[in-house]
Amino acid sequence: MKHKQNGKNARKITLQKIIRGNVTGQMRRNIIEHLWRNYSTSTAHVKKIEAKLTIKNISLPQLDHLAIIDLPGPHTGIPQLRNLFDAIGYVFQGADYLPDKQNDFTWMAAPESHGTPANQALPQVVIADFRLDELPSTVSDIVLKYSKQASALPIEKIKELAASTDPEAATALLHLVTTYLSGRDWPLPTVKEFQIVRAHNELLAWVLIFGRRPNHFSYAIHLMPDFASLTDFHRFIETEVNLPLNQDGGAIKGSQATGIEQGSTAGTPENISLADGSIELPTGFIEFVWRYTDKKQPVLWNDYYTGFIASHANRVIQSLYVHD
């Protein structure tokens, strides 16, 4: 078996352990850990899975990647997100497009990932936005109405703090970046505006409500010795954790031939308040990844396939959809 890309992105993030390295390396780790802590404590699926793993004395999974989607606009979108992650040292790895969602996405890795043991590498970051020129004017007008109210990314300040060795600068950088990635900085839309956008693009409607907060994190199941396959882990999720799986395109998206298999929980709708009413919408989900390798004894992050496949992502992200 030969894959186009080799690399595996996974690492168990624990707040108690910080890998030694230069200041920017530690900053990256602190930022990702902060985002994960906020996500895991507010996402019921994560808490249920990790509680059951703990009961069974199974080590908690490494993180494979996280995903952040932004609205397109003068101060928002992939350009701003890429500038942010560039500033803290993440490196471009690849890009692709989801045509039926008008959604561009890019993935980036920490610079130290290549050559690092797979279980010590930081998760990759997937950043995304939407193509305004492919949206009908009724939708793009609503999107721009709100994205134009977003604040410009203070990129020069971020670069200055990232370059500093002052501990106070590291604290300030952590606050600045994680605040920017905590949600939207535009007002809530009306129910009617949400419905207009959702009728055309349900993923875009989700981003209009929640902004650029991570919409999901992913576990690296291939690094878990207690499970022989993604199918094996899915069985655990369905029968022991009692969580439903995203069945769009099948529970498992991908195969050994593609280098990667992916699955995810089906998001649970919650009551969300908008400007003039409320709706039902999932706030997030957890993804499961199995990355393949050509090596007999893989150790390093780049011993595994490290890429992403648009047709898989297209189905996985629909865990954010409301299914009747």
Side-chain angles (χ1 to χ4, degrees):
M1 176 186 65
K2 219 155 162 84
H3 299 316
K4 293 179 182 176
Q5 297 184 44
N6 291 330
K8 168 202 170 150
N9 168 275
R11 163 186 229 229
K12 178 182 182 178
I13 293 193
T14 57
L15 297 174
Q16 296 81 13
K17 283 177 129 181
I18 303 293
I19 286 185
R20 296 173 183 248
N22 60 34
V23 175
T24 54
Q26 182 165 318
M27 284 182 192
R28 283 188 288 276
R29 186 163 301 284
N30 289 344
I31 288 167
I32 298 300
E33 286 174 345
H34 184 97
L35 295 174
W36 169 240
R37 179 174 58 186
N38 287 349
Y39 190 84
S40 61
T41 56
S42 64
T43 303
H45 289 187
V46 174
K47 290 185 281 189
K48 288 187 69 173
I49 293 168
E50 296 198 345
K52 181 63 70 171
L53 289 170
T54 299
I55 289 172
K56 295 177 70 67
N57 294 315
I58 297 174
S59 297
L60 298 184
Q62 319 289 339
L63 292 180
D64 183 85
H65 68 272
L66 64 146
I68 298 167
I69 311 177
D70 203 358
L71 290 182
H75 303 301
T76 55
I78 287 178
Q80 310 306 316
L81 292 172
R82 184 165 174 182
N83 282 343
L84 186 157
F85 284 100
D86 276 340
I88 62 172
Y90 267 75
V91 179
F92 173 85
Q93 298 293 301
D96 215 323
Y97 180 58
L98 310 182
D100 67 331
K101 295 176 176 61
Q102 301 85 51
N103 183 247
D104 283 295
F105 68 99
T106 292
W107 59 97
M108 306 177 73
E112 61 272 19
S113 293
H114 290 274
T116 293
N119 63 358
Q120 294 179 13
L122 281 174
Q124 290 193 81
V125 176
V126 179
I127 55 176
D129 69 6
F130 303 87
R131 295 185 183 181
L132 272 173
D133 60 358
E134 295 190 7
L135 301 173
S137 59
T138 51
V139 173
S140 61
D141 287 349
I142 293 171
V143 170
L144 285 174
K145 171 185 174 181
Y146 290 100
S147 65
K148 283 181 177 179
Q149 299 182 62
S151 302
L153 174 71
I155 188 61
E156 294 308 319
K157 184 63 176 177
I158 289 174
K159 289 178 179 178
E160 175 188 333
L161 293 172
S164 175
T165 57
D166 185 343
E168 292 186 3
T171 301
L173 178 68
L174 175 65
H175 175 76
L176 188 58
V177 172
T178 56
T179 297
Y180 187 77
L181 299 176
S182 65
R184 62 172 207 286
D185 54 356
W186 53 82
L188 280 167
T190 65
V191 172
K192 182 178 180 180
E193 288 172 326
F194 168 79
Q195 291 172 339
I196 290 171
V197 175
R198 182 183 177 190
H200 178 74
N201 187 323
E202 194 161 354
L203 180 60
L204 176 56
W206 189 95
V207 178
L208 181 65
I209 305 304
F210 293 105
R212 63 184 78 92
R213 54 163 281 183
N215 56 73
H216 75 274
F217 277 77
S218 174
Y219 288 146
I221 308 305
H222 54 288
L223 289 185
M224 299 185 73
D226 296 275
F227 298 97
S229 64
L230 189 54
T231 298
D232 189 24
F233 187 78
H234 276 183
R235 190 177 302 113
F236 163 77
I237 293 296
E238 290 186 301
T239 62
E240 299 200 42
V241 187
N242 295 316
L243 284 176
L245 295 172
N246 172 346
Q247 298 291 340
D248 286 303
I252 292 181
K253 293 80 168 145
S255 65
Q256 185 171 357
T258 64
I260 183 173
E261 292 179 344
Q262 294 167 261
S264 59
T265 59
T268 303
E270 300 178 26
N271 188 267
I272 307 297
S273 296
L274 299 188
D276 60 351
S278 63
I279 58 168
E280 294 287 319
L281 205 61
T283 60
F285 64 96
I286 189 78
E287 182 184 354
F288 318 119
V289 172
W290 189 283
R291 294 185 183 273
Y292 286 93
T293 178
D294 294 324
K295 302 287 182 69
K296 289 184 178 180
Q297 294 183 313
V299 174
L300 304 179
W301 178 82
N302 45 297
D303 285 341
Y304 294 85
Y305 177 86
T306 61
F308 293 87
I309 296 174
S311 60
H312 302 181
N314 192 52
R315 297 295 190 176
V316 168
I317 200 64
Q318 290 177 187
S319 290
L320 297 175
Y321 287 15
V322 176
H323 294 86
D324 296 329

